[in-house]
């Protein structure tokens, strides 16, 4: 990118279109998922190059358990292979790996490798990579409320800040930019609390075809937007050092 200023601190992506990519080529859906992991690898690397501090990828929702059992099994086998292959790269690039979602319900092999990669990268500091697995934005909010109730927090003392501290993304900035590939224009339960003031991009590109150049284009568009956070344009312009995408 020509301009690397005013980049988002946190980019979140709904990686959509693997199945359609494969079907359009007369391939089984598994080949679309396999190609999707290579796209993810390229985007992770590009975000690290640009200095984006947080990247969240939506890999598997709670609703995805309704897919054919053989496809679900393939997805988790693919995840295990991907993480085993990429661990050294994560460590070399100082990328901390985290999971947002309910890990307890995942297959044993997946839980083991996920826990291993989380532990090994815990001291990495240059970027945080969140993988949304068995994730539901509504369930995340319910979980946070239950945790506050469990702590005995009185209703009158529940604030936005206290609730946010119980989310999976606690301690991380909310996503500045959310990208959903394949042209679909919905969140599908993704980061519902955190996306309150996010910017959105809905490129038509199917996920396996989404390259670092496509990411750069989305980031350039983001940089040209004015984020008002409920204020007027005049108020934003009056803030010293304010920029169009800040």
């Amino acid at each position: 990118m020509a301009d690397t200023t005013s980049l988002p601190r946190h980019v979140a992506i709904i990686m959509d279109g693997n199945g359609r990519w494969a079907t359009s080529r007369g391939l089984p859906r598994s080949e679309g998922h396999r190609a999707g992991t290579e796209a993810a690898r390229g985007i992770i690397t590009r975000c690290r190059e640009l200095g984006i501090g947080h990247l969240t990828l939506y890999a598997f929702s709670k609703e995805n358990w309704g897919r054919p059992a053989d496809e679900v099994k393939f997805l988790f086998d693919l995840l295990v292979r991907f993480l085993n292959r990429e661990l050294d790269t994560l460590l070399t690039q100082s990328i901390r790996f985290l999971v947002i979602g309910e890990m307890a319900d995942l297959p044993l092999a997946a839980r083991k490798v996920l826990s291993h990669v989380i532990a090994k990268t815990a001291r990495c500091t240059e970027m945080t990579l969140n993988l949304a697995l068995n994730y539901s934005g509504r369930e995340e909010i319910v979980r946070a409320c239950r945790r506050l109730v469990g702590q005995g927090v009185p209703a009158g003392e529940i604030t936005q800040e206290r609730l946010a501290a119980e989310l999976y993304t606690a301690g991380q900035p909310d996503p500045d930019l959310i990208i959903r590939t394949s042209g679909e224009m919905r969140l599908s339960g993704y980061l519902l609390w955190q996306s309150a003031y996010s910017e959105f991009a809905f490129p038509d590109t199917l996920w396996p075809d989404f390259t670092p150049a496509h990411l750069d284009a989305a980031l350039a568009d983001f940089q040209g937007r004015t984020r008002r956070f409920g204020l007027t344009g005049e108020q934003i312009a009056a803030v010293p050092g304010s920029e169009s995408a800040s």
Side-chain angles (χ1 to χ4, degrees), residues 55-56 59 66 117 134 151 158 177 206:
L55 173 65
T56 302
V117 176
N134 195 26
Q151 295 165 22
I158 295 177
L177 174 64
L206 299 175

Side-chain angles (χ1 to χ4, degrees), residues 28-219:
R29 289 175 59 87
S30 59
E31 290 305 310
H33 296 310
R34 199 188 311 275
T37 63
E38 295 306 313
R41 188 174 191 270
I43 296 306
I44 295 166
T45 299
R46 183 56 175 155
C47 285
R48 175 67 180 86
E49 290 172 350
L50 292 170
I52 292 171
H54 302 263
L55 173 65
T56 302
L57 301 177
Y58 203 1
F60 193 87
S61 72
K62 280 188 173 290
E63 292 75 21
N64 287 154
W65 291 111
R67 293 187 175 188
D70 58 345
E71 180 175 348
V72 172
K73 181 180 184 304
F74 178 85
L75 284 168
F76 284 106
D77 289 346
L78 184 63
L79 173 65
V80 168
R81 293 195 299 272
F82 179 79
L83 289 175
N84 282 329
R85 185 185 73 180
E86 297 300 320
L87 176 57
D88 287 345
T89 300
L90 294 175
L91 292 170
T92 300
Q93 296 186 9
S94 191
I95 298 175
R96 179 177 62 150
F97 177 79
L98 296 173
V99 170
I100 64 172
E102 296 294 335
M103 279 183 55
D105 296 330
L106 301 181
L108 178 60
R111 295 202 309 270
K112 285 184 175 180
V113 73
L114 288 165
S115 297
H116 177 66
V117 176
I118 290 169
K120 292 289 286 185
T121 62
R123 296 180 182 273
C124 295
T125 58
E126 293 303 313
M127 188 174 98
T128 297
L129 170 63
N130 302 302
L131 199 63
L133 285 167
N134 195 26
Y135 175 83
S136 161
R138 287 180 174 178
E139 288 294 328
E140 180 182 24
I141 295 170
V142 171
R143 171 182 176 273
C145 293
R146 287 174 175 164
R147 288 168 66 92
L148 290 173
V149 170
Q151 295 165 22
V153 179
E157 296 181 16
I158 295 177
T159 63
Q160 292 187 31
E161 291 75 18
R162 293 191 79 160
L163 193 146
E166 300 300 331
L167 298 175
Y168 291 118
T169 53
Q172 300 185 53
D174 290 340
D176 301 292
L177 174 64
I178 295 180
I179 300 169
R180 181 173 187 148
T181 59
S182 85
E184 301 290 346
M185 298 183 183
R186 58 181 178 273
L187 279 176
S188 298
Y190 190 43
L191 301 174
L192 296 178
W193 177 279
Q194 299 90 332
S195 63
Y197 280 98
S198 301
E199 296 292 317
F200 294 90
F202 299 104
D204 291 331
T205 310
L206 299 175
W207 176 247
D209 290 329
F210 193 79
T211 66
H214 290 102
L215 174 66
D216 286 354
L219 294 174

